[in-house]
Amino acid sequence: MPNFADNYQHQCLLEISRRHREAVDPARICDGKVIGQDNWDKLAVSTVFAAIAIEAALNDYVLSHCLLLDVPYLQEVFGEITGHFLRGSVQNKLKLLTEQWPDPFPDQLLKEVRELIRIRNRIAHQSSEFRTANETTARRGQMSNRSLSADEICHMLRHHEIARDFLGRFWLPGNREFQQGLVSPEQAERSVAADRGSQVS
């Protein structure tokens, strides 16, 4: 089973992110600062598509569990429930994955993924900041742009790499994942025998 980084649909989204990241002029990255509106524009596209790739993979991971149901009634019910979950927070999907996937994700990588999503949200849901007359020296209400910090922009330089690393660590669940927590008949028999022995004593 290919991981999500190697899956064609998600690979295409990662490729858009990579091309825009590589188009940033390295000569205008100085002392941790990215200079130029054109560089910012390319980084913004790279970040947005890295986040889209992550969310698309999480959505496919969650939705794939509906394929396990053969009964049409259950397909209808769980399809509806899953549809509502998919429209929810990416953080909830991330939590579901990390709690259920058999291999642990590095804490630092998860921290980086959450920061990537947070920065994407700042870009995609831009809003100005309002300050009241009591908060300004001019003693009147003001609106101003909430620009990203230099640290946030530097983080964007790694967003394609972070997304690719993360998507390379999980895939559509298969036999290994489905058999988590299952015990063999021999193990079940030994467990029952041990329980009986403890009851007798």
Side-chain angles (χ1 to χ4, degrees):
M1 176 67 68
N3 60 51
F4 280 110
D6 293 333
N7 183 52
Y8 179 73
Q9 173 195 350
H10 308 93
Q11 209 174 49
C12 289
L13 296 168
L14 286 172
E15 183 61 16
I16 295 170
S17 175
R18 183 193 64 77
R19 284 199 309 268
H20 282 81
R21 167 59 187 92
E22 290 182 356
V24 173
D25 180 2
R28 288 182 291 147
I29 302 173
C30 308
D31 298 325
K33 293 180 181 173
V34 178
I35 299 164
Q37 183 64 44
D38 57 332
N39 274 343
W40 156 251
D41 294 344
K42 290 164 189 162
L43 273 181
V45 173
S46 179
T47 290
V48 167
F49 274 87
I52 290 172
I54 288 171
E55 191 152 15
L58 288 170
N59 286 344
D60 284 351
Y61 166 75
V62 171
L63 192 59
S64 67
H65 292 81
C66 290
L67 295 172
L68 303 173
L69 303 169
D70 293 326
V71 179
Y73 171 79
L74 292 177
Q75 290 175 352
E76 294 283 346
V77 170
F78 284 99
E80 182 72 17
I81 292 168
T82 305
H84 286 290
F85 188 81
L86 293 181
R87 291 191 287 274
S89 162
V90 67
Q91 300 298 343
N92 288 340
K93 299 168 201 172
L94 193 55
K95 182 173 183 287
L96 177 69
L97 169 69
T98 56
E99 288 179 352
Q100 301 305 321
W101 195 250
D103 306 316
F105 291 84
D107 290 341
Q108 184 59 34
L109 176 60
L110 291 175
K111 182 179 175 185
E112 302 280 22
V113 167
R114 289 187 179 99
E115 179 66 359
L116 188 163
I117 297 297
R118 187 188 69 77
I119 292 172
R120 183 281 305 267
N121 290 344
R122 287 280 310 277
I123 294 167
H125 307 292
Q126 290 189 41
S127 64
S128 297
E129 183 177 30
F130 175 72
R131 297 170 67 206
T132 68
N134 291 333
E135 298 172 307
T136 63
T137 53
R139 306 299 294 167
R140 59 186 171 81
Q142 290 180 347
M143 277 178 61
S144 59
N145 291 332
R146 297 175 59 217
S147 53
L148 293 173
S149 69
D151 286 345
E152 289 170 322
I153 293 171
C154 275
H155 198 270
M156 293 167 71
L157 291 166
R158 297 187 296 109
H159 283 177
H160 167 262
E161 172 193 327
I162 291 166
R164 185 143 193 15
D165 183 5
F166 178 64
L167 295 190
R169 294 173 183 267
F170 69 107
W171 44 87
L172 293 178
N175 285 342
R176 182 189 73 135
E177 291 74 38
F178 299 149
Q179 290 172 3
Q180 281 188 99
L182 293 178
V183 295
S184 69
E186 295 80 17
Q187 288 172 313
E189 213 171 280
R190 283 196 298 271
S191 177
V192 168
D195 284 347
R196 284 184 185 142
S198 65
Q199 288 171 0
V200 169
S201 58

